[in-house]
Amino acid sequence: GYLSLTRGDGGQNLIGTEKSELMGLLRTQELLAARRIDGGEQFFTRAVDFGYSKNPEETFTFWEKEKILADVVWTIRKFKPDVLITRFPPTSRAGHGHHTASAILAEEAFDLAADPKAFPEQLEFVEVWQPKRLFHNTSSWWYKDLPERVVAHPDSFVTVDVGTYNPILGQSYSEIASESRSQHRSQGFGAGKDRGEKIEYLKLVKGEHSTEND
């Protein structure tokens, strides 16, 4: 499952003249094209991309936080994931108010999805659900000393080799990801395919630690 809070309405367009609502339409189709390649199910919320946001407080003012939080909780209850992974940290290191807000909402929704008192009107259609773990897919882009951090705090991280080759698919997972990412043409996200070890670091934010690294 892939939850995009916005449809990218406020983003820039590197391949055409579409802006605003048409930009959102274009990026929606790019997301759906990516999901057809990687097999994920695409979800959205009611949040509108209003362009660059300096901080999450500004973002939540425009979005009406409770409405978007309800949408995230709804998605968790509907899709019932065991594991949640955020792409951005809940701090200014995310570099964009929308990005920071997405991580903040994920942490709050992780707990609220299992609380029957949270958005009880949803329970006519879905059940409460508690994911087992919430990770942040961190990288050396944010922390230059990340490998050293992993060694020093092994219980706080899970490492995943996303370059693993799948003989049934005839591709590595990183190759599939590169093809999927390349569908985001309006953002210039084309990526070359490669094989071989490619380690991603997942930092445990909430939930149970898995000692088996499975």
Side-chain angles (χ1 to χ4, degrees):
Y2 185 115
L3 173 59
S4 178
L5 297 189
T6 76
R7 294 175 183 264
D9 319 56
Q12 296 182 347
N13 188 352
L14 300 180
I15 61 172
T17 59
E18 294 86 355
K19 298 293 182 184
S20 300
E21 292 88 351
L22 290 178
M23 186 73 257
L25 180 63
L26 178 63
R27 288 199 177 178
T28 295
Q29 294 304 315
E30 290 176 340
L31 281 163
L32 294 175
R35 299 293 80 75
R36 286 193 290 272
I37 290 169
D38 61 36
E41 186 171 347
Q42 183 67 52
F43 299 98
F44 296 97
T45 75
R46 290 171 281 184
V48 175
D49 181 349
F50 54 86
Y52 181 73
S53 176
K54 297 182 289 296
N55 53 62
E57 291 76 24
E58 179 188 51
T59 297
F60 287 139
T61 299
F62 279 90
W63 281 359
E64 297 183 64
K65 181 185 176 183
E66 284 300 301
K67 290 183 179 180
I68 309 307
L69 179 58
D71 290 349
V72 179
V73 169
W74 166 268
T75 304
I76 293 172
R77 288 172 170 174
K78 182 174 185 293
F79 190 65
K80 297 184 177 181
D82 287 321
V83 174
L84 299 182
I85 301 175
T86 64
R87 189 65 190 98
F88 300 100
T91 66
S92 59
R93 285 181 180 269
H96 190 311
H98 293 177
H99 296 166
T100 305
S102 71
I104 292 172
L105 291 171
E107 291 190 17
E108 293 186 16
F110 180 87
D111 297 319
L112 292 177
D115 184 356
K117 296 179 182 178
F119 310 110
E121 68 280 359
Q122 296 181 0
L123 302 182
E124 181 180 353
F125 308 100
V126 292
E127 300 175 343
V128 293
W129 181 259
Q130 179 61 71
K132 292 184 176 65
R133 301 175 186 85
L134 169 64
F135 290 104
H136 167 221
N137 181 197
T138 188
S139 75
S140 56
W141 193 85
W142 284 297
Y143 302 102
K144 301 304 180 186
D145 62 341
L146 183 57
E148 291 79 9
R149 286 174 180 246
V150 174
V151 172
H153 305 282
D155 289 343
S156 298
F157 293 89
V158 171
T159 57
V160 180
D161 182 4
V162 298
T164 302
Y165 178 76
N166 186 314
I168 296 176
L169 298 177
Q171 297 183 89
S172 69
Y173 295 110
S174 56
E175 285 181 296
I176 297 170
S178 295
E179 188 176 348
S180 172
R181 181 178 174 84
S182 294
Q183 303 309 305
H184 296 277
R185 295 167 183 163
S186 65
Q187 294 178 270
F189 276 177
K193 293 183 177 182
D194 59 0
R195 288 184 182 174
E197 183 181 86
K198 183 176 175 60
I199 301 299
E200 291 286 341
Y201 299 96
L202 304 178
K203 185 178 188 302
L204 185 67
V205 178
K206 287 191 173 187
E208 311 164 1
H209 174 68
S210 173
T211 56
E212 298 177 1
N213 196 31
D214 59 354

